[in-house]
Each structure stands twice: as C-alpha cells, then as structure tokens.
Amino acid sequence: MKISVVGCGFLGAVYAAGMASLGHDVVGIDVDQDKLDRLTAGHSPFFEPGLDDLLIEAQNKGSLRFSADFPDTASSTMHFICVGTPQLDGSLAADVSYVNAAVQSLLPHLKPGDVVVGKSTVPVGTAARLAPMIVDAGADLIWNPEFLREGHAVKDTLNPDRLIYGVRDKEASAAAIQDLDEAYATMLDRGTVRLVMAYPTAELVKNSANSFLATKISFINAMAELCDASGADVTELADAIGIDDRIGRKFLNAGVGFGGGCLPKDVRALQAQARDLGVDSAVSLLNDIDHINQSQRSRLVALASRLCGGLEGKRLAVLGAAFKPNSDDVRDSPALDVAQQLQDAGAVVIVCDPHATTNASLRFPDLSYTDTLIDAVTDSDGMLLLTEWQEYRELDPAALRQLVHIPVMIDGRNVLDPTAWRTAGWTFGALGRP
Ligand code: UDX
C-alpha cells in the first residue's frame, strides 16, 4: 500500500519506518528540512533504540523516503497524521493547530477513496470537525490513536497491544476500515485486538489510558508519603498489592514521578476537556494526580537538604536528565526540575546523562552538565539518582565511595539496594523507604 506520514517527529519518524518495514511504500512529510536530511541519511534526530537500523533497512529496500513537499502525498492512498499536539501556552489544553494545518495541506491532494488516519492525541470533537472536509474530497477519516512508548517505540509500533479505530459511522466507513485493516494486516494476522468505535470514544482512549497510568504512579507516590510517615517500605508495598492481577505491578514504581511529552500533557488536556464538559469530579481527580506528581519533586529536594545538612554551597551530582531511561527526551523531566530547584536553593549542581545532556542544556541552560559519571560524582557532597539508566542501577557503592567528598546517595527512582549502599558507608535516602 502507498502511504504518506505527515509529521516526522517522534511518532511520525517511527511510524514511517515501521510501516515501511511492514512492506508498505512510505513517504514521510515534514516542514523541517534538517530533520528530513538526517532521516534520509538513516540517522534518527532523537535517541531511540533500533530506529536507525529500521530507517536504513527501509531506505535501502527503496520503501521509504522523506520529503518537504505536500504534493508528494498525492500518489498515496492512505495518509497518517502524526504531528504533535503540545500543551498550549497559558492553558491546560492541547494545541491542535498542527493537526488542523496538516489536514488543510493534505486536502488539495486527496483523491476519492483515500483514507486519512489521525494518530495524534486530540481533544474530543476534533475528528468530527475535520471529517466533513475530508469526506467532501471523497476520502474518509479514521482516528487511530497511537500508544508507543519512548525507548520501546520500534517494538510498540510493530507489536501494538491493540488497534483502535474511531469512525464516523461503522457502515458508511466500511471501505476505510477495510483499507486500514489491509495496512495493519501483519498485526491483525498475529491476533492483535482491533476495536471499532465512534470518534469521541477513540479520542478519549489515549488521554484516559495515559491519565490512568499517571493515576497509578501518583497513587503509589501518595502511598510513599504514607510509608515515610509510618516507617513502611513502598517498594515492598507495591510488590504486595501488585500481585493482585486486578491491580498489577506495572506503573507502581514510586519516586520522583512522571514526566515526558505525554503523561503530564495528557492529564492536563483531559482536565481541560472535563472542565469544558462541566464534569467537575473528573477535574478534581486529575488535578490531584498532577499535584501529587509535582510535589514528589519538592519532597525529594527537601530530603536532599535534610541528608546533606542544607543545600547552600553543597556540590551535588544529579544522575539523569532524560524523563526516563533509553530516551534523550527532556520534556517535563522530573530530574531537571529537581536539579534546577537544588541549584535555586544554593547547591552547586552538575547533571550527567549518557544521552540527554545536549537537549537538557537547551532547556535548562543555567545548569552544568557532563556526559561522564566520574566527572559528576568526583568530590561531590551528595548524589541523586533521578533517571534509572541501567549503568546507574549497576553502580558499585564501594568503588564510588573512594571518589566522593561526602557519601550521600538519594535514590529518586527506588532502584538501588539500600542495604548495600549503607553497608558501604553511605548515608542513603529515598522516597517511601526507611
Ligand atoms: C507514555 C505511555 O506509556 C504510552 O503508551 C503513550 O503512547 C505515550 O506516553 P512515555 O511517555 O514514553 O509513554 O513514557 P512511560 O514509559 O509511560 O513513562 C512516563 C513517565 O512515568 C516517566 O517519567 C517514567 O519515569 C514515569 N514512571 C513510569 C514512574 O514514575 N513510575 C512507574 O512506575 C512508571
């Protein structure tokens, strides 16, 4: 099938490469020529394990190319909208202007029988608003939210948990549904669940899935505060409640909380949506989730201050800048927020991360950075592990003890063994653990 992918950011670049690897003939469209040049050279503009290989393989086979020209979409019969919907400045709501612009640019090139597939995360009502223009051109619109995770994006794209099709009418859209089934034949043949529903439900699926994940994290972080007050251990608590498969152990890792380009934005977008719809109880639940998440960051700063005997003039090493491991994404990164709060409180902070320091220095230019752990920790008065890269999980407390000035370790992700660190002579602290 001939496919165009409009928007070659994180979602679009992975999607274009993924669909090409499934045997389709794909053109990726973007306005950023620099990004297109890098993708054409087989270099992902961001760190995502496995993506460069997929890009090179697809381009060598001749099934993937990139272009800045919208007329290049004209030879495709299916068009995936993969542009971003970031949080609007000064509002909790998502900015859909890139989606609107993508559809406007696509309209002159649509042919009867084409299918436009919306993958961006949008507020309820977006698909119903855009559909008439697309239908007027003889094409159809399916909203098909995407659930890929950064750091696992290639695998998630090729092996999704489920496929959601939001349609204007199951019968009227039967041909479009069949076309999308053809595009996803490899996944459907493997037994991937496919659910067809009306536009509003499909639009809510993504925001509510991410808000539910955020709820689990904020719930366990609220429990971490109870654990701190009672002497309990939140990691053991999570193991114990997570055995119940109605609850599940995933997304119950307490610590400095969630960040990134999706969970915080989607919780806020759902809040804005609930407010618009006049659903007050949903607004207050979502507000609490966001509030608990933000307060974990200041609780960690307070813990650092307590264990280091104040922050003024203390040389602190922050391990991690990315919002999670295996990513160089620093959007709404808890690690950088904490680093900035520590510096604002008078500490001398140095941040290290194996892949994210370049992006971090663009967003937080006042912080100091190094790519090397040794540079960050040598002579430090305290260390905070805030992004659980594998290499930080495997740190040797006895060896590190020789490098630092004062051995204080604060585990903001609850991935280290407190006993091992204390035995090696460290003052060890974490949120929700004695
Ligand atoms: C999320 C969704 O998981 C994905 O389905 C959707 O398509 C995009 O948004 P992503 O933003 O890549 O994916 O990150 P995710 O793995 O969900 O982690 C989000 C944040 O939660 C990270 O900062 C992570 O460190 C934090 N987290 C995760 C916790 O604090 N505790 C946990 O138990 C799990």
Side-chain angles (χ1 to χ4, degrees), residues 15 21 37 48 78 145 181 213 234 290 300 338 373:
Y15 224 74
S21 83
D37 291 344
E48 181 59 38
M78 186 165 285
D181 281 352
L213 294 172
V234 74
D290 200 5
L300 204 75
V338 167
L373 178 92

Side-chain angles (χ1 to χ4, degrees), residues 92 211 215 218 258 267-268 270-272 274-275 280-295:
L92 296 178
S211 294
T215 306
S218 280
F258 60 81
V267 169
R268 291 171 198 149
L270 200 53
Q271 243 179 296
R275 189 167 292 154
D280 291 355
S281 56
V283 177
S284 66
L285 168 70
L286 295 161
N287 189 38
D288 285 346
I289 293 164
D290 200 5
H291 176 73
I292 292 169
N293 193 50
Q294 294 300 321
S295 63

Side-chain angles (χ1 to χ4, degrees), residues 146-150 206 210 213 217 251-253 257-259 262-263 323-324 413:
E146 177 54 46
F147 303 95
L148 59 79
R149 298 161 298 166
E150 296 188 26
K206 177 65 182 292
N210 273 353
L213 294 172
I217 300 168
F251 275 70
L252 285 182
N253 296 320
F258 60 81
C262 289
L263 260 55
F323 83 102
K324 70 175 198 180
R413 291 292 182 179

Side-chain angles (χ1 to χ4, degrees), residues 5 8 11-21 26-28 55 58 63-64 66:
V5 173
C8 294
L11 168 60
V14 178
Y15 224 74
M19 294 309 279
S21 83
V26 180
V27 57
L55 285 167
S63 56
L64 176 62
F66 293 95

Side-chain angles (χ1 to χ4, degrees), residues 14 17-18 21 50-59 64 154 158:
V14 178
S21 83
L51 182 54
D52 284 5
D53 290 344
L54 209 63
L55 285 167
I56 292 167
E57 196 185 297
Q59 289 183 94
L64 176 62
V154 171
L158 299 177

Side-chain angles (χ1 to χ4, degrees), residues 167-185:
V167 299
R168 61 196 165 96
D169 176 285
K170 285 183 192 175
E171 279 177 24
S173 294
I177 293 172
Q178 202 180 342
D179 286 349
L180 192 53
D181 281 352
E182 201 185 308
Y184 290 143

